[in-house]
Amino acid sequence: MNADRLLEHIKEQKIAYFSMEIGLRKEIPTYSGGLGVLAGDTIKSAADLRLPMVAVTLIAKRGYFRQILDERGRQTEAPEEWNPALYMDLLLQRVAVEIEGRDVLVQAWLYEVKSLTGGNVPVLFLDTDLAENRPEDREITAALYGGDKVYRLKQEAVLGIGGVRMLRKLGFEIKKYHMNEGHASLLAVELLKEFKRDIEEVWDERLVWDVDRVRDLCVFTTHTPVEAGHDKFSYDIVSRVMGEPIPLNVLKDLGGKDSLNMTLLALNLTEFVNGVAKKHGEVSQNMFPGYQIHAITNGVHSYTWTCDSFKRLYDKYLPGWANEPELFVRVGRVPDSEIWAVHLEAKKALLDFVRSETGIDMDLGVLTLGFARRATAYKRADMLFSDTERLKRMGSGRLQIIYAGKAHPKDEAGKALIERIFELKERLRDSIKIVYLQNYNMEMALKLVSGVDVWLNNPLRPLEASGTSGMKAAHNGVPNFSVLDGWWIEGHIEGFTGWAIGPEPSETRVSDNANDGKDAEDLYNKLENILIPTFYNDRHTWIRIMQNAIGKNAYYFNSHRMMRRYVTEAYIR
Ligand SMILES: *Cc1c(COP(=O)(O)O)cnc(C)c1O
């Protein structure tokens, strides 16, 4: 690694963005889903906008995992080995983090996200795979979300504590630390250790710790809309893994009496806290009364999430769109016929891909629904099949469906869901073509969100903090058909940008399955009476809706807009 490049990066103060997972491109498989892809999009927009940012994450050399599905949809996982040296440079500097009483050495790989605008954001991938470390310690940064609680806490210690130390060691000057989800909270504890007040006579030793100074430096984005989703560690595990980084009573004051709650820790050590959509901000506010929780709705990186044929179309009619997605406001200039033509091009590319993966020949003229995301219970991937007879009646020869998504290796309910979709696709094989594509990743995601006709999403409310795949679809003129949760509450105009499934969002905080039936009923009614007839009989209206998905949804739900808001509301305040 030549030292000049590092010098370039450290010459101005930076925003440090910490995330357990970052999804920049499919060759660097250090992401599991929306959280990581959002982090990648954040960094890409920061580079385009020439924001002074440095990102920190873990190397995860075995990736998340490669999904293998057998003929019945049973998932097995294989490591997704990749070679960092192909994409990044190993830096010489090392830092140590005390774990289980040992000094674990940490090194960093430097990856640069370079934009055509001249922006360049360095991303540090932390790595404990050093010959000097014990074998078990070399494993700490190997797997993303693998292992038990102890393993997870070790990873969070490397990310938070090791990350801060590495930035210091490399000479970075940091003006804000942004924690993307609670996994990075330990960075704030590390900062706290640096900011001890110089008080001579202390009547309460807690006053020594300059919490306000840390709060001023930190920004925290929460992504978890349910209490059970927050990362928690027993103090037994904490002391075993980390000893006592700060006195236990101080840590308990900040992170919770009974167990160390990473979200609570971040909330107590951060001035600016936000949720990832307006509704999620409110849900989080209710979950943590006494803290002020703002909302900055997510967005996706426009250039990354637009397929080739639409890129060409936008270049022709809206030049400059990639770095100024506001130009989508003028999508009305684009003739209907050209929108339809580039859509068919993307659809054909997807159907070719489906054929090569599954051998199944789908029909270019048939209304195609897409559903792809992490396979986990609350996403309710099987809702479309609540009444298979009805689905057959309305969909025979007029509907085809493409699924994809990985279940976390330990998520048995998620795995069962995949098997259920396999079972149903067999049951319906004579009337409706359905495929489930194996090994969902970013590259496949782009093919799917651009190549289907409708993007379907029916999570259990209010569990979809934001959701971002629907924003990607909108960038390719694909309208959303979705439950009113997360971003869609803000992006939905019925029959204009897409369609809602089920009732208006309510104030209820707890999730329950009481609406399953209502949601399914509404899904069927609209599919039968609105989507299918409009698609086949009123192409003009259909293309208008595609245009509105671009002009209203992509126009707003992009990460350039999101980053400008982080700058003005969180970073410089
Ligand atoms: C965008 C994306 C997601 C997020 O999808 P949601 O529907 O928002 O949950 C997950 N996985 C991959 C690979 C993605 O590209």
Side-chain angles (χ1 to χ4, degrees):
M1 168 69 200
N2 84 53
D4 291 353
R5 262 165 62 210
L6 192 57
L7 283 179
E8 261 320 286
H9 285 307
I10 62 176
K11 70 181 187 210
E12 58 180 342
Q13 277 202 328
K14 302 261 193 220
I15 312 292
Y17 183 81
F18 279 61
S19 184
M20 183 74 117
E21 53 173 305
I22 295 184
L24 290 161
R25 47 197 273 194
K26 75 149 195 322
E27 296 86 355
I28 304 180
T30 58
Y31 61 93
S32 80
L35 180 71
V37 176
L38 174 81
D41 285 2
T42 296
I43 293 163
K44 289 174 191 171
S45 277
D48 290 341
L49 297 169
R50 309 187 61 153
L51 300 178
M53 177 176 271
V54 53
V56 181
T57 188
L58 302 184
I59 194 79
K61 270 185 203 157
R62 286 204 298 271
Y64 182 43
F65 67 87
R66 192 160 52 80
Q67 178 193 48
I68 301 159
L69 296 173
D70 71 9
E71 71 288 350
R72 283 174 48 193
R74 283 173 303 202
Q75 173 181 300
T76 44
E77 300 93 25
E80 183 130 78
E81 304 276 358
W82 63 287
N83 180 4
L86 294 177
Y87 313 102
M88 33 189 104
D89 293 302
L90 185 58
L91 304 178
L92 298 171
Q93 291 83 348
R94 293 168 176 192
V95 297
V97 178
E98 309 84 61
I99 289 174
E100 291 177 343
R102 303 182 293 279
D103 266 345
V104 174
L105 292 181
V106 182
Q107 61 184 3
W109 298 81
L110 173 69
Y111 180 80
E112 292 175 305
V113 176
K114 292 181 187 160
S115 166
L116 289 176
T117 63
N120 182 344
V121 172
V123 184
L124 301 172
F125 286 82
L126 303 176
D127 182 7
T128 60
D129 186 14
L130 282 154
E132 291 85 343
N133 287 332
R134 283 209 207 170
E136 61 186 291
D137 296 336
R138 297 178 70 162
E139 283 290 301
I140 294 175
T141 55
L144 179 64
Y145 303 132
D148 55 9
K149 284 254 168 195
V150 171
Y151 182 75
R152 171 68 76 87
L153 186 59
K154 289 178 181 176
Q155 289 194 319
E156 296 191 9
V158 170
L159 178 66
I161 299 168
V164 170
R165 290 181 187 172
M166 184 58 79
L167 288 171
R168 296 265 188 280
K169 181 92 176 191
L170 296 175
F172 281 96
E173 238 187 276
I174 304 300
K175 61 180 158 204
K176 287 279 181 197
Y177 290 85
H178 188 166
M179 298 174 250
N180 188 42
E181 189 55 314
H183 311 131
S185 302
L186 291 174
L187 82 81
V189 174
E190 177 66 10
L191 294 178
L192 195 55
K193 282 167 65 179
E194 292 179 7
F195 301 139
K196 282 172 80 166
R197 287 198 184 91
D198 201 8
I199 307 175
E200 285 202 357
E201 274 179 50
V202 188
W203 51 273
D204 179 346
E205 63 134 6
R206 280 176 249 195
L207 291 179
V208 171
W209 306 91
D210 197 345
V211 170
D212 290 339
R213 209 162 145 204
V214 176
R215 288 174 56 91
D216 262 355
L217 265 178
C218 290
V219 169
F220 172 48
T221 301
T222 173
H223 295 258
T224 320
V226 273
E227 183 51 37
H230 298 276
D231 236 0
K232 284 182 199 144
F233 299 97
S234 74
Y235 283 104
D236 274 355
I237 289 181
V238 173
S239 71
R240 187 172 135 201
V241 172
M242 306 201 302
E244 211 168 292
I246 55 174
L248 194 59
N249 61 337
V250 180
L251 191 60
K252 286 187 170 178
D253 276 355
L254 296 168
K257 268 200 185 51
D258 308 322
S259 60
L260 182 61
N261 178 330
M262 292 312 205
T263 302
L264 195 60
L265 186 62
L267 286 171
N268 281 321
L269 289 171
T270 306
E271 188 60 41
F272 184 90
V273 180
N274 73 287
V276 289
K278 282 186 170 48
K279 172 76 175 176
H280 176 239
E282 290 162 21
V283 168
S284 305
Q285 184 69 77
N286 288 333
M287 209 165 9
F288 298 103
Y291 298 88
Q292 195 188 0
I293 302 185
H294 305 261
I296 295 180
T297 302
N298 282 164
V300 298
H301 188 248
S302 300
Y303 191 78
T304 300
W305 294 110
T306 300
C307 69
D308 288 340
S309 60
F310 267 94
K311 274 180 180 156
R312 255 193 286 116
L313 186 73
Y314 297 154
D315 282 343
K316 179 170 166 193
Y317 288 97
L318 310 166
W321 63 278
N323 205 35
E324 198 181 338
E326 292 88 341
L327 291 174
F328 286 138
V329 77
R330 299 190 75 202
V331 70
R333 298 184 64 218
V334 185
D336 285 9
S337 60
E338 292 193 43
I339 290 195
W340 190 248
V342 296
H343 171 63
L344 283 185
E345 204 177 319
K347 187 169 178 182
K348 182 167 181 313
L350 173 63
L351 299 192
D352 286 347
F353 177 70
V354 167
R355 188 176 318 105
S356 72
E357 289 285 298
T358 66
I360 291 177
D361 241 325
M362 288 189 149
D363 194 329
L364 196 63
V366 169
L367 176 60
T368 306
L369 307 185
F371 187 108
R373 45 188 56 85
R374 287 180 304 117
T376 192
Y378 85 82
K379 303 269 194 183
R380 300 191 295 188
D382 58 347
M383 174 163 282
L384 186 57
F385 301 105
S386 326
D387 182 348
T388 47
E389 287 313 308
R390 185 165 177 198
L391 185 64
K392 252 198 240 175
R393 273 199 312 276
M394 75 173 83
S396 214
R398 292 194 292 181
L399 214 52
Q400 55 195 10
I401 310 156
I402 306 179
Y403 277 96
K406 297 174 178 176
H408 184 278
K410 289 189 181 145
D411 183 354
E412 293 307 326
K415 289 183 173 181
L417 213 44
I418 299 177
E419 288 173 44
R420 177 144 171 78
I421 304 290
F422 266 68
E423 201 184 295
L424 291 159
K425 87 180 166 64
E426 281 312 303
R427 196 184 303 168
L428 292 170
R429 65 178 303 155
D430 295 328
S431 40
I432 300 178
K433 285 180 184 161
I434 301 166
V435 296
Y436 199 110
L437 301 175
Q438 170 175 280
N439 203 34
Y440 187 48
N441 62 22
M442 288 177 69
E443 188 185 39
M444 191 193 292
L446 177 57
K447 289 192 176 97
L448 279 164
V449 296
S450 59
V452 298
D453 296 305
V454 172
W455 195 246
L456 177 65
N457 189 23
N458 46 35
L460 186 61
R461 278 165 294 248
L463 300 190
E464 187 91 308
S466 161
T468 50
S469 62
M471 305 173 186
K472 301 169 189 168
H475 273 77
N476 298 281
V478 170
N480 278 265
F481 183 29
S482 170
V483 156
L484 285 167
D485 199 14
W487 81 279
W488 190 232
I489 298 173
E490 296 160 57
H492 159 258
I493 306 171
E494 185 66 18
F496 192 81
T497 56
W499 307 269
I501 297 169
E504 291 287 315
S506 69
E507 293 304 309
T508 50
R509 269 189 280 152
V510 285
S511 57
D512 64 72
N513 292 46
N515 280 325
D516 269 13
K518 268 193 239 160
D519 288 351
E521 178 70 18
D522 201 38
L523 191 163
Y524 284 128
N525 288 341
K526 284 191 183 164
L527 198 53
E528 183 167 17
N529 303 320
I530 299 172
L531 275 75
I532 293 176
T534 308
F535 181 82
Y536 288 105
N537 310 331
D538 187 359
R539 193 53 49 85
H540 177 75
T541 297
W542 190 268
I543 296 174
R544 189 82 331 120
I545 295 170
M546 293 175 71
Q547 221 171 46
N548 293 332
I550 301 163
K552 295 258 182 234
N553 289 164
Y555 165 82
Y556 186 82
F557 298 96
N558 59 75
S559 49
H560 275 40
R561 185 265 320 154
M562 175 186 81
M563 286 316 286
R564 290 194 170 103
R565 289 198 51 191
Y566 275 107
V567 170
T568 53
E569 289 166 47
Y571 297 160
I572 47 173
R573 62 196 295 278

